[in-house]
Amino acid sequence: MSVSLAFAALASSSAAIFTPQIAFQSAAPVPAAVAQDAQASGDNSANSVQPTTPATAEAADLDQAIDPSSAPQPEDGEHETGDTIVVSGEAADPMKDPLVEVNEAAFEMSQEVDAAIIEPVAEVYEEGLPKPIRSGLRNFFRNLLEPVNALNFMLQLKPGKAFETLGRFAINSTVGIGGLVDVAKREPFNLPRRRNGFANTLGYYGVGPGPFLVVPLLGPTTLRDALGGALDQAVLPTAVGGIFTSPALGIPAYTITSLEDRIEFDERIAKINASDDPYYAVRETYLCRREADIAALKNRPAPRDCSVEAILGESDPAVVPAISGVNANAITAGETPSEMQLSIAEPAAEPPAIIFVSKEIVQPLPSDYGTPER
């Protein structure tokens, strides 16, 4: 996902370049062959620059600002004087997904396993098992993690939520028949289930997500979330022992939890698989939702829309170039500059702030670029 911008302009002294990839070009020199032919015929027009009317220059600049490719392209042999400076930069964070090739291979394998095994089994589990039994199994295994949720709320200095979570665990473990029925969320208790874990605690205290990872059969995660999840699973076996250390509990818990997650997120998974780049969609939606989880712990709004449509850019209106004095909403996406109907608007009283995405570079024009002869 890269963005490139190109602008052509004339200046009398210098030009400032700020964008990640910009080509600055002075007026195109006259080809040597044309100059020689003109000199032989006694015509000096080849060495002169005809003045351009303001209206014509404004229209040309407007078309080039909307569509940089409409600017005149230099022919072979031009720009040999070094009057073109190209500045490029990397917009993506290389640390976000340094193992992208390995992750893509693991993702493709996971997709094949999901299509061949997990999805069919999830459909049979959903349709073949009565919903009350499914809900009971789900509630039972979720209830076992409530002490871990409460512990992390305490570590995050949220004692109120920690005691509410412990209250849920006590109510559901007794009145709810060992957690098979989520009685605590109903009247008169009204104690909602709040997921938490050591990965959230690390993020709450400023630990970054680290590299993005795709673990076969486990799905997308990050280094922080993988370590946090391992700590979550180790609490009960370490603190209680007994059956919590036995595969007889661990394997059914993992299997049922995975199938329930597959059923819960089936619609989202279908949208991701239907996208042009499923791997990108999985990575960005996962990272975005984890950002939202950490923000919620800090009582902050989600930094951005984490829906699949927003991540893929399907819910946003077409983005058009910002042109001074032009109402961008009047530009119809997909049309050529000559076909666009532009409405000139009054300059804004307070223009939006400019955000520079790379260091400022000031490059003077070539010394031989003087005032054109008239």
Side-chain angles (χ1 to χ4, degrees):
M1 302 289 292
S2 61
V3 179
S4 61
L5 305 174
F7 294 91
L10 295 177
S12 60
S13 59
S14 64
I17 303 175
F18 304 99
T19 53
Q21 184 170 345
I22 300 176
F24 182 92
Q25 303 174 352
S26 64
V30 179
V34 177
Q36 292 175 1
D37 293 343
Q39 185 175 6
S41 62
D43 186 2
N44 293 327
S45 62
N47 295 324
S48 63
V49 178
Q50 297 298 327
T52 304
T53 62
T56 304
E58 181 178 0
D61 291 343
L62 182 60
D63 283 348
Q64 295 176 19
I66 298 174
D67 184 9
S69 63
S70 65
Q73 299 298 318
E75 298 180 0
D76 294 341
E78 296 183 358
H79 301 299
E80 296 178 354
T81 59
D83 59 349
T84 301
I85 303 96
V86 177
V87 181
S88 62
E90 176 62 53
D93 181 4
M95 293 304 297
K96 180 169 71 172
D97 194 0
L99 303 175
V100 58
E101 295 182 358
V102 177
N103 287 336
E104 286 181 339
F107 176 74
E108 291 179 2
M109 185 185 73
S110 299
Q111 290 286 85
E112 295 175 358
V113 173
D114 179 81
I117 300 175
I118 299 178
E119 183 179 6
V121 172
E123 291 178 355
V124 172
Y125 175 78
E126 181 181 14
E127 298 174 1
L129 204 62
K131 188 173 181 179
I133 297 178
R134 282 181 42 222
S135 298
L137 293 173
R138 179 193 61 200
N139 293 336
F140 174 78
F141 290 113
R142 285 181 174 179
N143 188 60
L144 294 179
L145 293 176
E146 293 289 21
V148 178
N149 296 337
L151 174 60
N152 281 278
F153 278 124
M154 289 297 295
L155 294 175
Q156 296 159 15
L157 305 181
K158 300 178 182 293
K161 291 182 179 180
F163 285 119
E164 287 182 357
T165 304
L166 288 176
R168 273 182 53 83
F169 178 69
I171 294 170
N172 287 337
S173 297
T174 54
V175 182
I177 316 174
L180 294 175
V181 182
D182 191 353
V183 180
K185 70 178 182 181
R186 305 173 184 174
E187 295 286 350
F189 307 108
N190 295 324
L191 297 175
R193 176 176 177 265
R194 299 186 178 97
R195 299 181 63 177
N196 209 340
F198 286 100
N200 285 356
T201 300
L202 292 173
Y204 181 80
Y205 286 107
V207 177
F212 178 75
L213 304 171
V214 177
V215 181
L217 302 180
L218 295 179
T221 185
T222 61
L223 180 59
R224 179 195 64 197
D225 293 352
L227 294 175
L231 290 175
D232 293 342
Q233 300 299 323
V235 169
L236 288 179
T238 302
V240 180
I243 191 175
F244 293 104
T245 62
S246 173
L249 178 65
I251 293 177
Y254 170 75
T255 302
I256 292 174
T257 301
S258 299
L259 292 176
E260 287 292 339
D261 289 342
R262 183 61 178 79
I263 295 170
E264 180 179 357
F265 300 119
D266 181 69
E267 182 178 353
R268 186 194 309 171
I269 293 172
K271 292 180 180 178
I272 289 174
N273 291 338
S275 65
D276 294 335
D277 191 346
Y279 173 75
Y280 170 83
V282 164
R283 183 186 67 192
E284 296 304 314
T285 51
Y286 178 84
L287 295 176
C288 182
R289 289 180 179 276
R290 293 300 291 133
E291 289 177 7
D293 292 340
I294 303 303
L297 288 174
K298 298 179 179 181
N299 296 320
R300 298 175 184 172
R304 51 192 173 126
D305 186 355
C306 295
S307 65
V308 177
E309 294 81 4
I311 294 296
L312 298 177
E314 297 174 357
S315 62
D316 295 334
V319 179
V320 295
I323 307 169
S324 176
V326 176
N327 182 3
N329 293 327
I331 302 178
T332 303
E335 296 179 352
T336 62
S338 60
E339 296 172 340
M340 292 180 181
Q341 299 297 324
L342 305 181
S343 61
I344 306 301
E346 293 295 330
E350 295 183 2
I354 299 175
I355 301 176
F356 302 111
V357 295
S358 66
K359 295 182 180 179
E360 176 180 354
I361 302 175
V362 178
Q363 173 65 43
L365 291 171
S367 58
D368 58 350
Y369 184 82
T371 303
E373 298 180 3
R374 298 185 181 277

